[in-house]
């Protein structure tokens, strides 16, 4: 299967799920050992695993439901999604705060996101990221700030950006590709700028994590080339080919961002959620037994396996958005492959789950069964390297029209859990 996009549109309400009461122990027969009695009556310990959800703001995917809502409506929708995470016994929310070279906090570097007001650069009258951190922590949730490093716009017209936008002040930083605008990862000044812009949020807010998704160099578009000739001519001389130079550019972003986070706010987690296939085994014997149409190493120039093995990141969440048994990219094949990659490293492995596919009639037969996702968690439990799961995305966690999320909770989340540290 080729590139997987994060798109699903569902809305509905969900009643709270009650935490089951502990079972009452049967009376002990006379002479039962004290050790056995203490075991029977000992309360359950809180589990430790990641139970997260992505909360996407690009294109108003999850929140706000549309642009131009009042500050009060925006806050209300945000806290309702946080409440949904609590009802589902999740413990972490990954909030997209820089979807397209913009900001969901008052940034001195980039404009306010148009997904708030409908107008890029317009002050929404409140601080969404600051509020999200405060409200998440009040509910016992951890809040990870999700940034997209290089995407500038979902169109290719720079004139549609606000006049003060850095991409308009530095047009030489920008590459038009596939109908969109991107910052050029091959320019050191771009890499320095995007880190400065993102780390501003880490400086200002006690976020629990910093998160990148799967967009580094853009996904390939047939018949088009990403025009970084000038940058390659200037900076690529020490590399055997352009692909190696591009991978080094992304490696530098990852290493430097990790160092910056620890310098500014030590202990803050840094994680990345890449496309689920590093390389197919037909391309590289170290790769997975898959036939995916995209490979992060070759197409996005993201050596995700290396980042785990070198311990550059605190956690990785490969987007394993496929069902068990899919021939081209079988969930049951990819979980053990990623478990082997993570084994012995300092990088924690969580699995990205395609909740948005559950019950979608456009998906295959497997996704019409509300037990499919629950089976994913059952399978993953066989691998101790898997430390939890993250669900795409928040609107689907709350609405759950197929009942797949409720099934996961009933089967696997019977008690609270703390996220790993």
């Amino acid at each position: 299967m080729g590139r997987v996009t994060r798109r699903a549109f569902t809305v509905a309400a969900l009643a709270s799920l009650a935490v089951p009461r502990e079972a009452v122990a049967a009376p002990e027969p006379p002479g039962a050992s004290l050790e056995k009695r203490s075991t029977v009556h000992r309360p359950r310990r809180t589990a430790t695993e990641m139970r997260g959800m992505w909360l996407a703001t690009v294109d108003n995917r999850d929140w706000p439901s549309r642009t131009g809502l009042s500050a009060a409506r925006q806050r209300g929708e945000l806290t309702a999604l946080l409440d949904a995470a609590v009802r589902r016994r999740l413990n972490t929310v990954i909030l997209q705060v820089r979807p397209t070279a913009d900001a969901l906090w008052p940034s001195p570097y980039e404009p306010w996101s148009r997904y708030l007001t409908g107008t890029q650069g317009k002050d929404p009258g409140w601080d969404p990221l600051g509020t999200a951190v405060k409200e998440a922590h009040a509910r016992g949730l951890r809040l990870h700030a999700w940034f997209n490093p290089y995407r500038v716009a979902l169109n290719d017209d720079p004139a549609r950006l606000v006049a003060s936008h850095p991409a308009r002040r530095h047009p030489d930083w920008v590459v038009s590709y596939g109908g969109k605008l991107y910052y050029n990862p091959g320019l050191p000044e771009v890499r320095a700028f995007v880190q400065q812009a993102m780390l501003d949020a880490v400086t200002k807010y006690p976020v629990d994590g910093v998160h990148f998704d799967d967009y580094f160099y853009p996904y390939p578009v047939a018949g088009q080339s990403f025009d970084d000739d000038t940058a390659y001519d200037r900076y690529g001389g020490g590399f055997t080919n352009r692909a190696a130079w591009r991978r080094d550019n992304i490696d530098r972003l990852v290493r430097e961002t990790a160092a910056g986070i620890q310098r500014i706010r030590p202990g803050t987690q840094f994680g990345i959620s890449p496309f689920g296939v590093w390389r197919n085994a037909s391309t590289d014997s170290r790769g997975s037994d898959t036939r995916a149409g995209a490979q992060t190493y070759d197409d996005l120039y993201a050596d995700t396996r290396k980042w785990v093995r070198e311990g550059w990141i605190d956690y990785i969440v490969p987007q394993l958005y496929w069902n068990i048994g899919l021939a081209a990219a079988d969930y049951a094949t990819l979980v053990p492959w990623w478990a082997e990659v993570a084994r012995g490293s300092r990088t924690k492995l969580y699995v990205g789950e395609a909740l948005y596919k559950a019950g979608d009639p456009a998906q295959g037969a497997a996704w019409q069964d509300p037990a499919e996702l629950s089976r994913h968690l059952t399978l993953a439990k066989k691998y101790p390297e898997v430390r939890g799961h993250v669900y795409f995305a928040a609107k689907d966690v709350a609405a759950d029209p197929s009942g797949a999320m409720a099934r996961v909770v009933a089967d696997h989340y019977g008690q609270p859990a703390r996220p790993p540290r």
Side-chain angles (χ1 to χ4, degrees), residues 177-320:
Y177 179 76
K180 300 180 178 66
L181 298 176
Y182 299 90
Y183 283 131
N184 187 346
L187 297 176
E189 58 269 36
V190 164
R191 191 170 68 248
F193 171 76
V194 298
Q195 289 178 62
Q196 186 179 44
M198 294 184 295
L199 292 175
D200 177 66
V202 181
T203 300
K204 290 177 176 174
Y205 305 100
V207 295
D208 301 293
V210 169
H211 188 89
F212 289 172
D213 56 21
D214 52 326
Y215 293 95
F216 294 98
Y217 279 87
Y219 280 88
V221 176
Q224 297 191 30
S225 60
F226 189 84
D227 184 8
D228 55 1
D229 291 351
T230 301
Y232 181 53
D233 289 345
R234 185 171 183 181
Y235 298 109
F239 296 88
T240 55
N241 54 48
R242 190 181 305 235
W245 170 71
R246 286 178 173 176
R247 278 188 290 274
D248 183 70
N249 293 330
I250 303 304
D251 283 352
R252 288 173 183 266
L253 172 74
V254 170
R255 292 198 312 269
E256 291 169 5
T257 301
I261 293 165
Q262 293 311 307
R263 183 179 65 252
I264 294 167
R265 198 173 291 277
T268 300
Q269 299 283 292
F270 178 35
I272 297 176
S273 58
F275 178 76
V277 174
W278 172 70
R279 299 187 99 184
N280 296 319
S282 58
T283 305
D284 186 323
S285 61
R286 299 170 298 172
S288 51
D289 185 15
T290 50
R291 297 187 297 280
Q295 303 170 90
T296 63
Y297 182 93
D298 302 277
D299 297 314
L300 308 182
Y301 306 97
D303 193 349
T304 53
R305 181 181 181 275
K306 178 180 181 180
W307 304 342
V308 174
R309 300 304 301 166
E310 296 291 336
W312 293 350
I313 55 179
D314 296 300
Y315 68 86
I316 194 161
V317 196
Q319 297 172 29
L320 303 191

